[in-house]
Amino acid sequence: MKSFRILSAILIFLLMGIGILSNFLQKFETKSHTRDVINRGLHIVSLLSLYPMKDFKDSNGDYFLRTLTEYSFYKELAYFFVHDATGAVLLSMAPDEIASKIPGQVSQTSLFAAGLINQAFKTRSPENTIYEFAKPLYSLGKRSGVIRMGLKLSPVSIFSSERLSLMAVLAFFIVGTAIICYFAITGALKNLKSSKPDFSDFSEANDLSSGNIPRKGNVASVISHLDESLVQYKAKLDKLSAENVELSSRLGVFAFEKNRIITLLDALDFGVILTDLQNHVTHVNKFMLTLLGKTRKHVIDHDLYEIIEHAEIRSYISRHEGFGHSANIQPFETTLPDHAPAKIFKVILSYLTADGNSLSDKVLSFIDVTSVKSAEDAKQSFIAHVSHELLTPLTNIKSYSEMLMDGEVENMEMQKEFYNTINDETNRLARLVQNLLNLTKMEMGNLVIDKSLVKTDWLLGDCIKSVEAAAHDKKITINSKIPDNFPTLIADKELLKGAIINLLGNAVKYSPENATITFAISEQDQVVSFDITDTGHGISEKDLPHIFEKFYRADDDKVRTQMGSGLGLAITAEIVQLHNGEITVQSELGKGTHFSIRIPKEEYYLAKE
Ligand code: ADP
């Protein structure tokens, strides 16, 4: 019943459609027919007007009839008139009733037309539209008459046989298509209705799994079934979007962690390049970028060998390609002359593992070991120096004492000189050992001062005594200047003595023979100053900022030929600092040097009291 109603509705729509289409086609046909009649009318009249007037008179219209039949116009012909110059009818081919139906206005217009004209008028019975075409005739340059022809345009029937057959064919196809579509849709809906979707994923919303599918074969039940399915799909969609939210929050956490790792890598004070196992660079830290002088985009995703141009490092990497275990790979030290020529780098290749077993990434680290290296070098040269410094006085002491013990020196003066030399060398040894001890304490941070009242006159005497012999050897004069009141201060006498002896010893060491050294003690504004001035080799501007550094010695023959460890001034500065004092130096190469130690005394006095 329902199908019948649907079919009826389709048929009604179809008929309405055919009616509208037929009407449209009728109008279209009428228009094209009219245009055709006008074109042909104008053409025929133009042709006929070429005949001389006498032809119409003589042949009684035979020429005209021949021309008309040639153009198959006869059935549409309503009338034909040939008028002479006065308007009298010379030739007439028309039923009487038509002639009387021509409006006078139309006839008049045609009779006096100067050229080809076309007019239309309607007749009642039979109902026709007549198109009149007229053209004047000329002979010997004079208007000799007019030809007028009327063609009737009968109305186009809405039910023309051609159109009806076209409509029938169209209707057949439309009805056929509609029926096929109808059955196809109902068939599809039936299939949908009979199918049981698998909603086992949705235990919480699984109404259909119970087999509760509508059995009724109507569209409403199918729609309600679809509705339920939509609910199920919505539940699935909600679940998916919840999963999506969780995934994107996890992704956020990963991105955060990744950024933290990048920040951490960038904070490292050594270079790191991370690659996959195919040597494609995946990460590089700031230190490494600065070292290579490249930007991240010029490194990331590029081949490791493309970035590292250093042949030694390349061969190191390729030698350990596929080692598969970082423990087997030994680091090596190298320089990067193109990037940091003054530095030494320890290069280490290591592997990362993804799950404790399979290798995932390679890490190439560049650690700047320049300072470690120079410290090691300094230590080694220190040991060499110290050994030399210890050995020289010891050798002297040994040889002089042996000579004395063997009774080789009989001369009393000579014996005294030998004993003095032994004493000097012992002092030098003691000073060196004391400096070494102080250095060790300084290094360990436990160089403490043992303060007591120090009388500067004693200090002066002790200090000069310990460098006297060396000065004497070089015929150097030491002038001492000390105020009459002999300032006193609270200090660690041994340390302070050591500091002053270092300065006095250097003045002697780095002055030529016959030079003069001045050692002055003064007191001003509760500060006791010790000033040692020499006229020796002096210190260059280049060396001056470094002389208080441990192990530093000027790279100068006049210095290198003298024994020394480069420790004296470093220890002296430390001792002065422990006394809250300050040490300054002025020097000019070739002219001499002036060291000044200033120790504040007031606070110590107060502290002691
Ligand atoms: P050293 O054992 O070499 O004398 P110091 O620490 O006492 O070590 O001195 C460090 C460096 O300072 C010396 O090697 C020398 O180059 C320079 N120097 C120190 N005192 C003088 C000085 N009076 N005249 C010239 N150079 C000096």
Side-chain angles (χ1 to χ4, degrees):
M1 187 63 191
K2 196 160 186 116
S3 326
F4 175 73
R5 260 187 266 140
I6 290 169
L7 272 177
S8 315
I10 291 173
L11 275 174
I12 289 166
F13 279 121
L14 197 69
L15 288 175
M16 278 168 70
I18 288 171
I20 292 165
L21 189 67
S22 175
N23 184 266
F24 170 76
L25 285 175
Q26 184 209 15
K27 279 187 181 152
F28 180 75
E29 270 177 39
T30 308
K31 240 185 197 171
S32 88
H33 192 195
T34 307
R35 205 168 40 243
D36 190 40
V37 164
I38 291 171
N39 283 342
R40 282 195 285 173
L42 291 171
H43 185 67
I44 295 277
V45 169
S46 298
L47 265 180
L48 290 174
S49 68
L50 297 175
Y51 290 89
M53 190 65 168
K54 69 174 178 52
D55 283 359
F56 292 114
K57 285 180 192 161
D58 299 345
S59 63
N60 209 10
D62 286 350
Y63 283 117
F64 162 68
L65 285 174
R66 242 178 272 136
T67 308
L68 274 190
T69 45
E70 252 173 53
Y71 285 92
S72 326
F73 253 87
Y74 199 61
K75 65 173 179 156
E76 283 161 349
L77 185 68
Y79 54 84
F80 180 76
F81 300 114
V82 180
H83 297 265
D84 64 9
T86 59
V89 177
L90 283 180
L91 176 65
S92 165
M93 284 188 62
D96 288 344
E97 71 276 12
I98 288 270
S100 63
K101 284 173 188 168
I102 301 170
Q105 179 65 34
V106 173
S107 303
Q108 287 300 310
T109 310
S110 294
L111 282 176
F112 296 105
L116 181 64
I117 61 162
N118 161 32
Q119 302 173 83
F121 61 91
K122 279 193 188 273
T123 58
R124 285 262 170 90
S125 56
E127 199 167 315
N128 279 323
T129 304
I130 309 275
Y131 285 86
E132 179 172 312
F133 305 90
K135 192 167 181 199
L137 299 170
Y138 290 91
S139 81
L140 302 171
K142 275 187 165 183
R143 187 184 169 97
S144 55
V146 175
I147 53 170
R148 291 169 59 203
M149 183 179 72
L151 295 181
K152 59 175 181 271
L153 184 71
S154 38
V156 177
S157 162
I158 195 162
F159 298 113
S160 79
S161 59
E162 293 93 342
R163 206 178 312 120
L164 276 179
S165 54
L166 176 74
M167 292 295 153
V169 172
L170 263 178
F172 175 76
F173 275 109
I174 292 171
V175 170
T177 313
I179 290 170
I180 289 168
C181 288
Y182 173 79
F183 283 110
I185 290 167
T186 48
L189 287 175
K190 238 183 220 164
N191 283 342
L192 195 68
K193 187 182 73 172
S194 57
S195 70
K196 270 192 193 181
D198 179 13
F199 292 125
S200 49
D201 309 11
F202 309 107
S203 49
E204 67 274 24
N206 193 1
D207 291 335
L208 299 185
S209 58
S210 60
N212 195 14
I213 311 289
R215 296 274 169 220
K216 281 184 217 160
N218 58 38
V219 176
S221 69
V222 173
I223 288 170
S224 89
H225 176 66
L226 280 175
D227 190 36
E228 283 170 24
S229 307
L230 281 176
V231 171
Q232 306 271 352
Y233 280 118
K234 192 178 173 309
K236 183 168 186 176
L237 211 65
D238 288 348
K239 195 179 167 190
L240 283 175
S241 75
E243 279 173 11
N244 198 21
V245 168
E246 197 189 323
L247 278 178
S248 52
S249 75
R250 266 195 223 169
L251 209 65
V253 171
F254 284 139
F256 177 73
E257 289 297 326
K258 189 183 163 195
N259 279 343
R260 262 162 50 116
I261 289 170
I262 289 172
T263 315
L264 185 82
L265 284 178
D266 282 345
L268 295 177
D269 63 350
F270 58 90
V272 177
I273 304 178
L274 247 85
T275 73
D276 59 19
L277 294 179
Q278 286 72 44
N279 287 330
H280 292 122
V281 178
T282 51
H283 288 290
V284 61
N285 74 344
K286 263 188 193 159
F287 187 100
M288 199 65 219
L289 289 174
T290 317
L291 190 64
L292 296 171
K294 294 192 175 184
T295 58
R296 225 173 267 274
K297 74 168 183 187
H298 291 120
V299 175
I300 298 291
D301 288 339
H302 287 250
D303 193 273
L304 183 61
Y305 288 100
E306 201 184 301
I307 291 151
I308 306 290
E309 288 153 9
H310 194 286
E312 219 182 331
I313 304 175
R314 279 171 169 226
S315 92
Y316 169 75
I317 300 167
S318 61
R319 259 201 328 276
H320 297 101
E321 205 76 75
F323 251 50
H325 206 288
S326 307
N328 301 332
I329 305 172
Q330 291 301 317
F332 86 107
E333 280 168 16
T334 185
T335 51
L336 298 172
D338 296 340
H339 304 295
K343 307 226 165 192
I344 303 166
F345 288 94
K346 183 152 97 175
V347 182
I348 310 168
L349 177 71
S350 46
Y351 283 94
L352 300 182
T353 50
D355 46 18
N357 275 324
S358 58
L359 303 176
S360 63
D361 299 271
K362 269 184 197 178
V363 186
L364 195 64
S365 312
F366 289 73
I367 301 167
D368 181 356
V369 290
T370 319
S371 55
V372 179
K373 276 275 153 203
S374 67
E376 268 175 25
D377 290 351
K379 237 172 216 164
Q380 270 169 10
S381 70
F382 165 73
I383 292 167
H385 271 118
V386 167
S387 317
H388 188 245
E389 285 253 321
L390 288 172
L391 211 60
T392 315
L394 277 174
T395 318
N396 286 342
I397 292 167
K398 188 168 178 278
S399 54
Y400 281 107
S401 54
E402 272 175 2
M403 283 200 292
L404 286 170
M405 280 191 296
D406 293 349
E408 285 176 30
V409 188
E410 285 167 8
N411 183 309
M412 286 299 282
E413 273 303 305
M414 280 278 277
Q415 277 185 10
K416 200 176 166 197
E417 205 174 307
F418 272 38
Y419 282 122
N420 275 339
T421 308
I422 290 170
N423 187 45
D424 288 348
E425 293 298 318
T426 316
N427 280 343
R428 204 167 95 185
L429 210 55
R431 214 164 52 234
L432 181 64
V433 171
Q434 188 57 51
N435 271 341
L436 286 173
L437 267 175
N438 288 341
L439 177 77
T440 320
K441 284 183 189 166
M442 254 169 62
E443 295 277 291
M444 297 173 78
N446 52 12
L447 181 64
V448 284
I449 52 174
D450 179 17
K451 289 177 196 163
S452 61
L453 182 70
V454 179
K455 290 190 174 176
T456 50
D457 51 336
W458 299 343
L459 196 65
L460 179 102
D462 283 2
C463 292
I464 289 181
K465 211 187 265 175
S466 59
V467 295
E468 213 166 33
H472 180 73
D473 286 350
K474 290 173 87 175
K475 301 182 189 68
I476 288 173
T477 315
I478 301 177
N479 290 332
S480 54
K481 287 183 188 170
I482 188 157
D484 296 337
N485 60 345
F486 293 122
T488 51
L489 71 162
I490 299 291
D492 186 317
K493 190 185 170 193
E494 284 311 310
L495 286 181
L496 198 55
K497 200 168 89 181
I500 294 166
I501 290 170
N502 279 339
L503 297 184
L504 273 175
N506 280 351
V508 173
K509 208 158 53 167
Y510 302 118
S511 288
E513 290 195 343
N514 301 312
T516 306
I517 292 167
T518 313
F519 177 30
I521 300 177
S522 59
E523 181 184 344
Q524 199 182 9
D525 301 333
Q526 299 299 321
V527 173
V528 178
S529 302
F530 303 89
D531 290 279
I532 294 105
T533 314
D534 66 58
T535 50
H537 311 315
I539 305 165
S540 72
E541 266 183 49
K542 175 177 82 74
D543 294 318
L544 214 50
H546 304 289
I547 55 169
F548 293 104
E549 290 168 13
K550 270 178 272 177
F551 309 112
Y552 189 86
R553 303 199 76 206
D555 192 11
D556 182 325
D557 277 353
K558 289 186 174 124
V559 172
R560 296 284 163 163
T561 47
Q562 299 296 324
M563 271 192 284
S565 59
L567 288 172
L569 287 184
I571 291 166
T572 302
E574 180 79 12
I575 292 169
V576 173
Q577 204 193 339
L578 283 171
H579 285 86
N580 291 327
E582 68 169 351
I583 180 166
T584 53
V585 58
Q586 286 105 41
S587 185
E588 205 177 322
L589 208 59
K591 289 202 171 162
T593 308
H594 171 209
F595 279 98
S596 179
I597 292 176
R598 281 186 289 279
I599 308 283
K601 61 180 272 186
E602 192 66 29
E603 299 105 74
Y604 295 117
Y605 260 124
L606 292 172
K608 207 73 186 168
E609 281 162 10

